[in-house]
Amino acid sequence: MGKLEIVTLEDVVKEVHDTSTFRFRADIEGSPGQFVMVWIPGHDEVPMALSYLGDLKGITVRAYGDATKALLKMKRGDLIGVRGPYGNTFRLDGLKVLCVAGGVGIASLIAAIEGFSDRGAKVATVLAAKTAEELIFEERCEKSGEVHLATDDGTRGFKGLAPALARKLMDQHTFDMIATCGPEMMMKAVLDLCLSRRIPCQASIERYMKCGIGICDACVLDDVLVCEDGPVFSGEELAKSHDFGKFRRDESGRRITL
Ligand SMILES: Cc1cc2nc3c(=O)[nH]c(=O)nc-3n(C[C@H](O)[C@H](O)[C@H](O)COP(=O)(O)OP(=O)(O)OC[C@H]3O[C@@H](n4cnc5c(N)ncnc54)[C@H](O)[C@@H]3O)c2cc1C
């Protein structure tokens, strides 16, 4: 089991009503797409993508269940535990890259968006949320390239779902890499667009995780583990998957239809 490090929350930034970013210093590295297991004392340990790399690391947390709601009540100076970083990373290949982020999926994708741009790629990002008040990291995305907003209710940007806007952009421009993170059905639609156009694609997949290090098998996707073999999978891998876009597993391992 990786070393658990107790860290102090040095900064807490409320991004939108149900989502905050927590910054801390930890003796860990980290690359775009990797995650840490975050221990919230008295509650649980949950996987969180590193939304900030560098000295002052960050995680960006959306309220979901018990642990995330408890974390969102924490303030600057409070202590959490972190271990990691775990998992593989986004491959920063490509010169014309389209990133498609839905909801809190931008927390995992943002370091890759910055990484693609730092490597000289031209980056366009579809930043999508249910409604305008839930859009996160718009300014950070703008620093790395073009941003195309989409909201389900049309309160900002394109009215509709992220894959519809991604399709429009793919019709208008040539891309040589697509990276995506967000709700699984959104990623499935993006994957289908990429497969039909033969554009390389990578997606960061979410599954219920307990250990984060390949022991418990909770995060199994077909015959691979999201914690160790992922969370980032290529389009070719996902095209062969029986589970992706169809099933996830709950805490007890029971299959749940998506
Ligand atoms: C690699 C990875 C990176 C992640 N990064 C982020 C991030 O950057 N920001 C963020 O806000 N969230 C992220 N998540 C999701 C986050 O870990 C879950 O929202 C959190 O574990 C929920 O814990 P909870 O105690 O609040 O809810 P719980 O009470 O545990 O969960 C409520 C319900 O959601 C289900 N559930 C819990 N976790 C998952 C899951 N991972 N997949 C599918 N169903 C689940 C449970 O079965 C339960 O029914 C990530 C998940 C993974 C696997």
Side-chain angles (χ1 to χ4, degrees):
M1 175 96 46
K3 192 179 99 192
L4 178 75
E5 198 177 335
I6 305 299
V7 299
T8 305
L9 296 176
E10 294 195 20
D11 197 15
V12 179
V13 177
K14 188 165 183 158
E15 305 288 356
V16 296
H17 67 101
D18 63 350
T19 308
S20 295
T21 293
F22 299 86
R23 307 294 299 273
F24 55 88
R25 274 170 225 279
D27 188 19
I28 58 173
E29 298 295 316
S31 299
Q34 285 194 301
F35 67 94
V36 285
M37 293 301 290
V38 178
W39 176 53
I40 301 116
H43 294 273
D44 203 351
E45 204 185 20
V46 291
M48 287 289 153
L50 284 169
S51 59
Y52 285 87
L53 306 174
D55 287 345
L56 198 57
K57 301 269 180 314
I59 52 170
T60 301
V61 181
R62 172 151 293 175
Y64 203 69
D66 169 61
T68 46
K69 285 179 186 158
L71 183 51
L72 284 161
K73 287 190 187 135
M74 295 180 90
K75 298 178 295 297
R76 198 170 154 186
D78 286 345
L79 302 177
I80 58 168
V82 291
R83 59 185 175 87
Y86 296 127
N88 64 359
T89 70
F90 282 103
R91 279 181 299 112
L92 301 180
D93 301 339
L95 293 172
K96 290 181 182 169
V97 181
L98 177 65
C99 294
V100 185
V104 78
I106 188 64
S108 166
L109 208 47
I110 189 69
I113 292 169
E114 292 172 347
F116 281 122
S117 169
D118 290 347
R119 287 189 161 215
K122 188 165 180 282
V123 184
T125 300
V126 169
L127 185 62
K130 287 200 183 104
T131 187
E133 281 138 45
E134 294 186 3
L135 289 163
I136 306 170
F137 289 157
E138 185 180 343
E139 278 178 28
R140 269 181 86 185
C141 293
E142 275 168 359
K143 286 187 187 145
S144 295
E146 277 174 29
V147 180
H148 302 267
L149 301 178
T151 49
D152 298 4
D153 62 1
T155 41
R156 272 197 75 198
F158 175 83
K159 182 174 190 238
L161 302 179
L165 180 53
R167 178 200 293 265
K168 266 179 92 168
L169 293 170
M170 287 182 202
D171 286 343
Q172 291 162 1
H173 307 278
T174 309
F175 296 102
D176 55 10
M177 175 59 76
I178 313 284
T180 182
C181 187
E184 192 148 320
M185 297 319 280
M186 180 205 89
M187 293 194 285
K188 173 82 171 73
V190 171
L191 171 71
D192 290 343
L193 288 173
C194 295
L195 292 174
S196 66
R197 288 157 202 248
R198 297 173 186 272
I199 308 174
C201 169
Q202 39 187 334
S204 179
I205 308 303
E206 209 181 282
R207 282 292 179 274
Y208 188 84
M209 269 181 202
K210 291 180 188 164
C211 73
I213 53 172
I215 295 172
C216 73
D217 267 5
C219 66
V220 67
L221 177 88
D222 305 292
D223 54 354
V224 296
L225 295 177
V226 172
C227 68
E228 274 200 331
D229 304 301
V232 182
F233 292 93
S234 70
E236 296 93 73
E237 289 169 317
L238 294 174
K240 287 187 228 141
S241 168
H242 294 292
D243 286 1
F244 177 67
K246 296 193 193 80
F247 305 105
R248 66 176 183 89
R249 286 177 193 272
D250 69 9
E251 307 88 301
S252 57
R254 206 176 17 220
R255 260 180 155 200
I256 312 272
T257 304
L258 286 174

